[in-house]
Amino acid sequence: MPISVPHVLHGFRLDLEEESSLQAPPPDSTPGVRIKIVRVPSLTSDERSWPIRWLDENDNPWLRARFEGAGEHRIRFRLLDVAEFEVDGPPSRITAHALKDLPDATLRHALLEQILPYTLALRDHLMLHAAAARGPRGVVLLTGESGAGKSTLLAALMDAGLTPWSDDAVRIDLSDTTVRAHAGFSGLRLWPDSVAALPESLQGEVVVQGDDKPHWCPPEGTLPQDTASPTPTRIRCGLLLGPQAPSPRIRRLSLRDTVVLLHQHAFGNPHLDRQGLDRHFTQLEAVARSVPFCELRYPRRLSQLPEVVALLLEELESDGSDLFTKPGLDL
């Protein structure tokens, strides 16, 4: 179960030192997070309370958590009844106890795209469910419901020369007046038809079969060198992939709609009190005021992606601040 250090954890401003079958970090890295994976025949029964819960569409908890230790130094997660994760520090150490028959790809996905982002969300970082690509003028965020085509569009943007920045989780940096995105790219999770349609420039790479979507993993050395230790980069714009349309269309979202969109696609923190909620929505408003967001609708036909990408790039490469606001713009 290889996890690429440069392409993943540096993106969350983390490094990785592994005590398991995961691949070792580069010799010149400075480990900031130690991850230990222990395979077990079963998880121990835990009758203690889990005050933090994330619910599925049937209101059943699929992920539970609680703070432990002095000063809430430790967070313990329980993923259904298949794995438990003990996260120490901000995080600095993660110990995973996973069932022996849990597929490596499932554990990898849970660790990188659920446990790490939710840990950072519980530590009051703003984390978005989004794919992202970096162009010459900044990062483009791609949000939308599951199956909306975020990863497929990201692959098309990569083929057009943009740098992959994230496939599922983006940490937003609000440390100054410029809204930036940390990189966190480990590969693309694509449905089989999208894998088969990968452009020639992305063919021949490693595809790890997961429990649902295959996972396309770039081998070492195939991404730009600066993704090994990327600097958080200004967010140029955000695109919400909306319902299909007969032809490509883009419309700017209002400030209110952008805040609602960001809230819907943030990694939720059920632990927030009223003061925490106020801080959360203040962060969302700061992003919405600084970054233009638009809804993009287009036919979900792979054959039309090059046309959509070409039209997006024409807008994104302009040096003005009036993205997608030209009169009569109907891509």
Side-chain angles (χ1 to χ4, degrees):
M1 183 176 59
I3 292 180
S4 171
V5 180
H7 303 157
V8 185
L9 295 180
H10 274 293
F12 296 121
R13 309 305 293 169
L14 305 172
D15 296 304
L16 174 65
E17 179 176 321
E18 307 180 26
E19 300 178 351
S20 65
S21 60
L22 307 179
Q23 73 178 37
D28 60 345
S29 68
T30 304
V33 177
R34 299 174 64 87
I35 295 180
K36 181 178 182 179
I37 302 208
V38 180
R39 291 289 186 168
V40 295
S42 62
L43 295 181
T44 58
S45 176
D46 192 337
E47 301 300 329
R48 291 172 292 176
S49 64
W50 297 89
I52 307 172
R53 297 179 173 216
W54 291 268
L55 306 179
D56 62 20
E57 61 273 10
N58 298 316
D59 290 332
N60 296 315
W62 65 273
L63 182 65
R64 294 168 286 174
R66 63 169 176 260
F67 287 96
E68 299 177 337
E72 299 184 338
H73 179 75
R74 178 182 300 116
I75 305 175
R76 185 180 297 274
F77 292 91
R78 187 151 181 140
L79 177 64
L80 298 173
D81 287 316
V82 298
E84 200 165 290
F85 302 85
E86 183 179 286
V87 183
D88 287 296
S92 57
R93 180 183 179 91
I94 299 175
T95 302
H97 290 83
L99 296 183
K100 287 184 175 179
D101 58 356
L102 184 68
D104 281 352
T106 302
L107 180 58
R108 179 188 193 279
H109 172 68
L111 175 63
L112 295 180
E113 299 180 10
Q114 293 171 349
I115 300 305
L116 275 171
Y118 278 116
T119 294
L120 294 171
L122 289 176
R123 298 295 189 198
D124 287 334
H125 295 284
L126 180 56
M127 301 293 300
L128 292 182
H129 283 286
R134 191 195 67 190
R137 300 188 183 276
V139 168
V140 181
L141 298 180
L142 307 175
T143 64
E145 299 299 326
S146 177
K150 298 184 295 294
S151 296
T152 303
L153 182 54
L154 175 57
L157 291 171
M158 290 169 59
D159 185 48
L162 273 66
T163 300
W165 215 238
S166 174
D167 181 45
D168 190 69
V170 179
R171 178 183 164 193
I172 305 301
D173 189 321
L174 293 165
S175 59
D176 58 29
T177 56
T178 301
V179 180
R180 295 181 170 87
H182 292 265
F185 184 76
S186 64
L188 298 173
R189 296 179 70 241
L190 297 167
W191 294 112
D193 60 338
S194 295
V195 171
L198 281 173
E200 185 176 348
S201 64
L202 303 180
Q203 291 286 0
E205 311 300 2
V206 179
V207 175
V208 179
Q209 295 293 330
D211 52 348
D212 50 357
K213 291 183 180 179
H215 195 114
W216 177 89
C217 299
E220 290 293 328
T222 61
L223 295 181
Q225 186 62 35
D226 62 355
T227 61
S229 185
T231 300
T233 298
R234 181 178 73 94
I235 301 175
R236 173 71 160 149
C237 69
L239 295 174
L240 166 65
L241 304 192
Q244 292 195 59
S247 60
R249 298 174 182 270
I250 285 185
R251 69 176 181 90
R252 281 287 290 267
L253 296 179
S254 67
L255 177 67
R256 177 186 177 279
D257 287 345
T258 299
V259 171
V260 171
L261 163 71
L262 292 170
H263 178 64
Q264 291 174 337
H265 293 282
F267 281 81
N269 181 355
H271 188 62
L272 290 177
D273 55 16
R274 181 170 181 175
Q275 184 179 10
L277 282 171
D278 287 344
R279 185 170 58 252
H280 171 70
F281 279 100
T282 297
Q283 290 178 325
L284 300 184
E285 183 179 352
V287 175
R289 289 189 180 279
S290 299
V291 178
F293 272 79
C294 305
E295 182 187 53
L296 169 64
R297 299 188 180 194
Y298 62 94
R300 294 299 191 269
R301 292 194 294 272
L302 294 172
S303 60
Q304 285 203 253
L305 271 179
E307 175 190 357
V308 173
V309 168
L311 293 170
L312 287 176
L313 292 181
E314 183 179 353
E315 277 289 309
L316 296 172
E317 289 173 359
S318 66
D319 57 4
S321 59
D322 57 343
L323 284 175
F324 309 118
T325 59
K326 297 183 179 64
L329 178 66
D330 187 7
L331 299 185

